[in-house]
Amino acid sequence: KEIPVKQKHLSLLLLLLSMLMIPTGSFAASPVRLFIKGSYVQGDVAPMIVKDRTLVPLRLISETLNYDVTWNGADRSVRIVQNDRAIDLKIGSTTAYGLQSGTKKKIAMDVAPIIVKDRTLVPLRFISENFGEKVDWDAKSRTVIIGEGYSPRTNPDALTLHFRNKTFNIEAKMYRGQTMIPAEDFAKAM
């Protein structure tokens, strides 16, 4: 039995309307920004939110916060050290081990470290707080704050660059999770 034309059109219309209700990438949340010890920082892999926890490239925070990092490829684990403190993490595991002044303790994490684009991403709050850093979240600007001196940007896409003893404010553009500075704007600022 053949379906009447009006019923086919109605079914097609309902299908199209239901497809419009499905969220797409164009409605994705704005990127997470990192403000660490007085400056905005950005790595080559954008921070990710997993289970309400911000994961960031380990290299970015280790260099910014002066942590020493040792990678063990055999068991896919990492040791992060600063002064007399250390944290041992394993990719895919929510169990970490903290070491302070010779005492080792097992610590549960909300989310496990992962590897994205050949970069190890770790839970920023967990790492920072275990090394004694103050961590905060500005939901309005989607900014993770470590340390003091934060004040929200009036224009979150503006960058402040320091070059040859001069300071420039330049409007940046986001492209595939990366911050891009138009060459023309950079040249004008020079």
Side-chain angles (χ1 to χ4, degrees):
K1 187 173 177 181
E2 192 169 316
I3 300 172
V5 173
K6 280 187 178 183
Q7 193 173 1
K8 282 183 186 180
H9 288 284
L10 182 60
S11 296
L12 183 60
L13 179 62
L14 289 173
L15 177 65
L16 288 172
L17 286 173
S18 65
M19 288 175 62
L20 288 173
M21 297 177 82
I22 298 171
T24 63
S26 63
F27 296 110
S30 61
V32 174
R33 290 172 167 59
L34 303 175
F35 183 87
I36 301 177
K37 300 233 174 180
S39 299
Y40 285 90
V41 297
Q42 187 171 359
D44 58 348
V45 174
M48 301 174 66
I49 295 183
V50 177
K51 296 182 183 176
D52 292 329
R53 297 291 177 242
T54 304
L55 299 178
V56 298
L58 175 58
R59 183 177 194 166
L60 175 66
I61 63 165
S62 66
E63 289 175 356
T64 305
L65 295 172
N66 297 316
Y67 301 153
D68 293 317
V69 176
T70 305
W71 168 255
N72 182 340
D75 68 355
R76 296 171 42 112
S77 67
V78 63
R79 173 169 270 198
I80 307 165
V81 179
Q82 185 183 51
N83 302 325
D84 68 338
R85 293 183 184 185
I87 298 174
D88 293 323
L89 307 168
K90 191 169 185 175
I91 300 301
S93 175
T94 57
T95 301
Y97 293 92
L99 181 67
Q100 184 172 1
S101 302
T103 305
K104 188 174 185 176
K105 68 177 181 175
K106 186 176 179 178
I107 309 167
M109 297 185 293
D110 296 332
V111 64
I114 59 175
I115 295 179
V116 174
K117 295 181 183 176
D118 294 325
R119 298 289 182 261
T120 300
L121 274 65
V122 295
L124 180 59
R125 180 177 293 274
F126 176 82
I127 301 297
S128 299
E129 287 181 346
N130 275 282
F131 282 108
E133 298 292 343
K134 178 186 172 199
V135 180
D136 210 348
W137 169 252
D138 179 351
K140 186 176 179 183
S141 67
R142 294 181 50 87
T143 302
V144 178
I145 302 121
I146 298 177
E148 303 295 331
Y150 174 75
S151 60
R153 290 181 174 178
T154 54
N155 180 357
D157 293 327
L159 289 178
T160 301
L161 302 176
H162 305 284
F163 183 73
R164 294 186 180 168
N165 297 324
K166 293 180 183 178
T167 301
F168 308 99
N169 292 317
I170 296 178
E171 186 85 16
K173 309 286 184 219
M174 291 300 291
Y175 178 73
R176 294 185 180 182
Q178 298 293 315
T179 302
M180 308 298 270
I181 301 171
E184 182 179 327
D185 294 347
F186 184 76
K188 284 180 188 175
M190 304 299 291

